[in-house]
Amino acid sequence: MNHYFSRRSFLKKSIIAGGAVSLASSPLRNFAMARPNERVNLAVVGIGNRAGEILMEFHKTGLCNVVALCDVDMGAEHTQAVLKKFPDVPRFQDFREMFDKMGNQIDAVSVGVPDFSHFPVTMMALDLGKHVYVEKPMARTFLEVELMMKKAAKNPKLATQMGNQGHSEANYFQFKAWKEAGIIKDVHQIVGHMNMPRRWHGWDVNIQRFPAEEARPSTLDWELWQMQTLGHDYNKDFVNGQWRCWFDFGMGALGDWGAHIFDTAHEFLDLGLPHEISAEMLEGHNSFFFPMSSTLKFSFPKRKRMPAVDVWWYDGLDNLPPIPEGYGVSGLDPNIPAPSTGELEPASLNPGKIIYGKDLTFKGGSHGSTLSIIPEDKAKDMASSLPDVPESTSNHFANFLKACKGEEATRSPFSVAGPLSQMFCLGVLAQRLNTKLEFDRDKKEIINDKFANALLVGPPPKKGWEQYYQV
């Protein structure tokens, strides 16, 4: 009971109460737009695993100088390649120290840390007037995404970009062109699916507690790794990507892949936030980590002249969605990168989506994969009437750096990526509680479950991390 009231107190003090966001003044400092003929001075928070790949993508553009490297475990094996590549770049273990010592030398920040720790790094960077690229999803809780959007909106000169990199590739431009030409219209159902193995598959779903404490690596600052979250004992199954498995740290398959599957439909069909979210089927539901299989349903109301839409999500090895007649073969698309755990192998249905309109049905993959009209005979009949699709002027990383210099607008700014990320936050709450949620889109409140509504905010942050919850 005391825990519930402390959570409610935090909600009242800092954020969503009666649907309103309480804003505190927070002046921007050190803001400077990089000139068009200059490289962007980029600081990188998180340098191993996927974060290291992101750093190299930025480096390959030739549009930035890497001026600072930050990681909570600089001695880890997965950080060594980046450290060897940039031997003379200043190194930090704590992002706060990095900003304190080098803030006036940094134009932009890449945030490639676990989902739950995107928030404080991003909020501090924006507060200091830095452009921010943050991996998907934007944050772990609905509230944190809300505050990140509010903070970014206070200074529209700052470029923000969420790292769903397919949003700068062929799928983005095709969906936009087909929607504007009336090829994609009257959509009433979208089905997203990701049926590859996940890290938690095979775990015992009957566990009664978190894993036992293990000896920490001597190079890892475990307390800093946890950032604003409540305390956990170190275990190898919390780090190096394993954080994706746990409700306390990650966003499961939906948060990991949803931003690569639903992104264009969510933006160009103006979906916004759902009014109902339901856990239709959960196999292996438990209180600690994600189910072995999940079927979720998101219901969106009518928007302008567009009909109501039901968005379905299927994950799990054998939890395939219904396949429409004439679907054809599910090929392994080269636009879908392999996961960090290994190669992406062909499955009976590869990650992607099925979009049902009034007159046409489409299938598509993940990331930058383009849509196809099904069945194939229908696609051939319409081939000559399809609009031209422009090519991308920049990939997702170059798009962000050019936006830092005022040359382009980012394609996945927080204003676009935020509601998409909040959709995933709501879906994860339905998974976690194994329930159906009714959501007030205007007040941004769950109206049929007080505990679920409190989880939009989550528990109060650890002492010393409260300042990041002010806008």
Side-chain angles (χ1 to χ4, degrees), residues 37-51:
N37 61 342
E38 293 180 346
R39 292 186 177 189
V40 176
N41 288 335
L42 181 71
V44 181
V45 181
I47 64 170
N49 299 320
R50 175 59 186 156

Side-chain angles (χ1 to χ4, degrees), residues 147-346:
L147 296 184
M148 289 163 75
M149 287 192 290
K150 294 287 184 182
K151 180 74 81 172
K154 290 191 71 175
N155 192 336
K157 292 182 179 179
L158 293 179
T160 58
Q161 181 97 301
M162 186 176 78
N164 49 339
Q165 65 268 31
H167 216 62
S168 287
E169 303 298 340
N171 175 250
Y172 175 89
F173 296 96
Q174 181 204 38
F175 202 112
K176 185 175 186 292
W178 283 18
K179 169 65 168 57
E180 291 173 349
I183 304 298
I184 299 175
K185 65 178 180 179
D186 299 325
V187 172
H188 58 86
Q189 181 173 252
I190 302 169
V191 175
H193 48 86
M194 198 292 174
N195 304 107
M196 298 292 184
R198 308 305 296 155
R199 295 170 182 269
W200 55 89
H201 284 153
W203 286 11
D204 180 6
V205 297
N206 296 313
I207 65 168
Q208 303 298 314
R209 61 184 298 274
F210 286 109
E213 184 176 11
E214 296 177 338
R216 307 176 189 178
S218 60
T219 54
L220 171 66
D221 186 332
W222 176 241
E223 292 306 315
L224 180 59
W225 183 92
Q226 297 181 78
M227 294 207 183
Q228 78 280 12
T229 62
L230 300 179
H232 291 74
D233 294 327
Y234 172 82
N235 187 282
K236 65 180 181 301
D237 276 332
F238 286 146
V239 298
N240 295 333
Q242 296 296 89
W243 50 265
R244 291 195 185 280
C245 308
W246 306 92
F247 287 119
D248 278 12
F249 296 130
M251 296 285 285
L254 176 63
D256 192 14
W257 283 80
H260 296 307
I261 292 173
F262 292 126
D263 58 335
T264 45
H266 187 274
E267 177 177 359
F268 295 121
L269 298 181
D270 193 25
L271 291 180
L273 296 171
H275 64 81
E276 192 172 274
I277 311 96
S278 178
E280 297 288 314
M281 189 286 292
L282 301 179
E283 179 186 344
H285 176 262
N286 69 95
S287 299
F288 296 92
F289 57 87
F290 287 87
M292 299 298 135
S293 299
S294 300
T295 302
L296 305 176
K297 179 184 177 183
F298 302 83
S299 297
F300 294 84
K302 294 180 180 179
R303 291 110 35 239
K304 298 177 183 177
R305 296 183 179 180
M306 291 182 283
V309 181
D310 286 335
V311 175
W312 292 81
W313 170 257
Y314 290 79
D315 68 46
L317 297 178
D318 300 316
N319 186 33
L320 303 181
I323 304 301
E325 184 178 353
Y327 182 89
V329 177
S330 175
L332 184 60
D333 195 315
N335 287 297
I336 304 176
S340 58
T341 48
E343 293 299 316
L344 188 69
E345 298 180 357

Side-chain angles (χ1 to χ4, degrees), residues 9-78:
S9 175
F10 176 64
L11 182 151
K12 282 185 176 180
K13 283 182 182 176
S14 34
I15 358 244
I16 303 176
V21 175
S22 172
L23 306 179
S25 61
S26 179
L28 292 165
R29 301 181 293 279
N30 299 333
F31 173 70
M33 179 74 74
R35 294 188 180 92
N37 61 342
E38 293 180 346
R39 292 186 177 189
V40 176
N41 288 335
L42 181 71
V44 181
V45 181
I47 64 170
N49 299 320
R50 175 59 186 156
E53 296 171 0
I54 294 169
L55 167 55
M56 294 312 300
E57 291 292 341
F58 277 122
H59 180 63
K60 285 192 297 186
T61 67
L63 299 173
C64 68
N65 302 312
V66 178
V67 298
L69 302 174
C70 182
D71 199 286
V72 296
D73 191 356
M74 281 292 188
E77 181 180 352
H78 56 267

Side-chain angles (χ1 to χ4, degrees), residues 1-14 16 230 450-451 454-455 457-461:
M1 185 65 73
N2 288 337
H3 179 62
Y4 172 76
F5 279 108
S6 66
R7 182 179 315 192
R8 187 172 67 179
S9 175
F10 176 64
L11 182 151
K12 282 185 176 180
K13 283 182 182 176
S14 34
I16 303 176
L230 300 179
K450 289 183 178 179
F451 183 66
L455 288 178
V457 173

Side-chain angles (χ1 to χ4, degrees), residues 32-171:
M33 179 74 74
R35 294 188 180 92
N37 61 342
E38 293 180 346
R39 292 186 177 189
V40 176
N41 288 335
L42 181 71
V44 181
V45 181
I47 64 170
N49 299 320
R50 175 59 186 156
E53 296 171 0
I54 294 169
L55 167 55
M56 294 312 300
E57 291 292 341
F58 277 122
H59 180 63
K60 285 192 297 186
T61 67
L63 299 173
C64 68
N65 302 312
V66 178
V67 298
L69 302 174
C70 182
D71 199 286
V72 296
D73 191 356
M74 281 292 188
E77 181 180 352
H78 56 267
T79 66
Q80 299 312 299
V82 166
L83 295 178
K84 290 177 182 178
K85 178 70 176 177
F86 303 96
D88 300 322
V89 174
R91 305 173 183 183
F92 301 88
Q93 193 165 27
D94 191 322
F95 71 96
R96 297 166 296 186
E97 181 185 5
M98 179 191 76
F99 283 129
D100 183 54
K101 291 186 175 180
M102 293 192 62
N104 60 357
Q105 301 173 53
I106 296 169
D107 298 319
V109 183
S110 170
V111 183
V113 292
D115 294 354
F116 70 91
S117 48
H118 292 173
F119 175 73
V121 184
T122 299
M123 292 295 279
M124 187 171 191
L126 291 174
D127 192 44
L128 294 172
K130 313 304 178 188
H131 309 285
V132 180
Y133 181 103
V134 62
E135 259 297 82
K136 49 74 201 164
M138 276 173 55
R140 193 188 69 85
T141 72
F142 189 98
L143 167 72
E144 289 173 346
V145 177
E146 186 76 12
L147 296 184
M148 289 163 75
M149 287 192 290
K150 294 287 184 182
K151 180 74 81 172
K154 290 191 71 175
N155 192 336
K157 292 182 179 179
L158 293 179
T160 58
Q161 181 97 301
M162 186 176 78
N164 49 339
Q165 65 268 31
H167 216 62
S168 287
E169 303 298 340
N171 175 250

Side-chain angles (χ1 to χ4, degrees), residues 174 178 327 353 355 361-365 369-375 379:
Q174 181 204 38
W178 283 18
Y327 182 89
K353 51 191 168 279
I355 300 174
T361 302
F362 310 85
K363 71 173 182 179
S369 307
T370 54
L371 297 173
S372 300
I373 297 169
I374 57 175

